[in-house]
Amino acid sequence: MEALRERLQRAQRIVVICGAGISTSAGIPDFRSASGLFEKYGPEVFSLSTFTREPNSFYRFYREFRAGTYAPTPTHRFLKRLQEQGKLMRVYTQNIDGLELSVGLDPGLVVQVHGHMRTANCAQCRRWEIPIAEFDTRLDREGTVRCPRCHGARGAYLKPSIVFYGEGLPTRFRQCLENDLNIKGFGGEGRPKKAYREGPFADLMLVLGTSLQVAPIKYVPEVFPGPRVYINAEPNAIFTRYADLWIPGKCDDVVGSL
Ligand code: CNA
């Protein structure tokens, strides 16, 4: 803890990469833990090809998800404190629960790498987009929500604006990485190329509550030339070896009181 405190004190521009583990204490299961969503629904429910073939499994998950009420956790409040101290450069979140914004982070400082649930759009044309409240009403009324623009085309169902397996990421993800980490160029699977240290770029990376299994974000810590701190309930087979500081445990227990 002392080592973490010291790194936080020294840092001026902190970039945070986070995942489902920062929201489990809000009551939202992660994907890959023993009691996670993959165990209950299977990973295919979150794939584009499954959804366009058979949207009802995802709709079943979504109905259950939206029935919950979720509040930010001590870890989200820690991020807010970093913002108040003027040290938060950016949060790259893989989460789609929106709790980073609920806690009051400046939207400009948050990149929702895997999308969000404020709107819903058509999995086929991508152009038809409606507010999530309207999607919810139609889902309750119609059971399956079809895109009116696609006139019954195959797979033209609406889903919340989250990124499924098989879909591209928001362009803002790359733009912010270039800005924050001085990354020049991206390779296969969206893997960022070398980042350069000189200049007003991030000087500390915190990686919180993620198994780092999903590309391309899993590659980001590996190109970051500054100190990297990994806080997660379990190790990541690769990253744990090269993180400068790896703290096993629950995020709330580690950062909640900082
Ligand atoms: P994951 O692969 O399920 O990994 C989560 C990691 O967090 C695991 O290594 C757990 O051991 C660890 N973990 C769980 N609880 C805690 C805790 N309290 N403290 C510390 N570590 C903990 O999930 P990732 O985020 O790595 O994978 C990316 C997916 C998950 C993204 O596409 C997300 O959209 C998706 N997801 C998001 C949410 C959400 O928005 N809250 C929930 C479930 C899945």
Side-chain angles (χ1 to χ4, degrees), residues 3-25:
L4 173 60
R5 245 183 255 278
E6 197 189 295
R7 279 173 169 84
L8 289 172
Q9 243 156 33
R10 222 179 302 142
Q12 296 302 319
R13 292 175 299 275
I14 302 174
V15 159
V16 178
I17 308 271
C18 57
I22 74 163
S23 291
T24 48
S25 63

Side-chain angles (χ1 to χ4, degrees), residues 7-242:
R7 279 173 169 84
L8 289 172
Q9 243 156 33
R10 222 179 302 142
Q12 296 302 319
R13 292 175 299 275
I14 302 174
V15 159
V16 178
I17 308 271
C18 57
I22 74 163
S23 291
T24 48
S25 63
I28 308 171
D30 63 12
F31 268 173
R32 293 177 179 82
S33 290
S35 56
L37 295 172
F38 280 179
E39 182 59 32
K40 185 161 181 194
Y41 294 97
E44 61 284 353
V45 165
F46 305 96
S47 102
L48 188 66
S49 58
T50 303
F51 179 76
T52 52
R53 221 176 36 246
E54 193 279 288
N56 286 320
S57 328
F58 173 77
Y59 286 157
R60 229 179 349 265
F61 153 77
Y62 174 71
R63 280 194 195 90
E64 195 176 316
F65 179 87
R66 75 170 181 187
T69 42
Y70 310 111
T73 67
T75 302
H76 293 97
R77 290 196 285 279
F78 161 73
L79 300 180
K80 177 82 188 300
R81 286 194 291 283
L82 291 181
Q83 172 176 285
E84 285 159 358
Q85 293 160 13
K87 290 185 172 210
L88 188 65
M89 187 171 207
R90 200 87 65 185
V91 174
Y92 292 85
T93 182
Q94 300 169 83
N95 295 346
I96 40 83
D97 55 36
L99 293 180
E100 300 82 8
L101 300 178
S102 311
V103 83
L105 293 188
D106 174 349
L109 297 185
V110 179
V111 179
Q112 294 180 296
V113 180
H114 294 157
H116 58 82
M117 293 211 189
R118 295 186 294 280
T119 56
N121 58 25
C122 173
Q124 198 60 257
C125 72
R126 315 283 160 143
R127 294 207 190 116
W128 188 264
E129 188 170 81
I130 59 176
I132 201 74
E134 193 180 329
F135 171 76
D136 285 347
T137 307
R138 285 191 56 193
L139 187 65
D140 290 341
R141 199 176 52 217
E142 298 157 29
T144 301
V145 189
R146 289 193 154 273
C147 174
R149 188 179 174 275
C150 286
H151 304 296
R154 251 180 97 242
Y157 301 107
L158 263 62
K159 66 172 181 60
S161 306
I162 60 180
V163 176
F164 275 17
Y165 291 107
E167 290 190 285
L169 299 190
T171 47
R172 190 160 169 265
F173 173 60
R174 282 188 178 194
Q175 289 162 354
C176 289
L177 279 182
E178 284 167 354
N179 178 77
D180 301 344
L181 306 184
N182 197 15
I183 282 168
K184 303 272 188 260
F186 296 83
E189 269 195 316
R191 192 182 197 127
K193 294 193 175 152
K194 192 173 160 43
Y196 298 90
R197 198 165 190 167
E198 308 74 35
F201 305 107
D203 57 7
L204 176 67
M205 180 174 283
L206 302 180
V207 183
L208 308 178
T210 170
S211 63
L212 285 179
Q213 300 288 314
V214 182
I217 192 151
K218 68 173 182 176
Y219 299 124
V220 174
E222 110 188 4
V223 295
F224 181 62
R228 292 158 296 192
V229 176
Y230 184 43
I231 303 168
N232 201 59
E234 58 195 358
N236 167 276
I238 302 165
F239 183 55
T240 310
R241 263 181 274 141
Y242 64 80

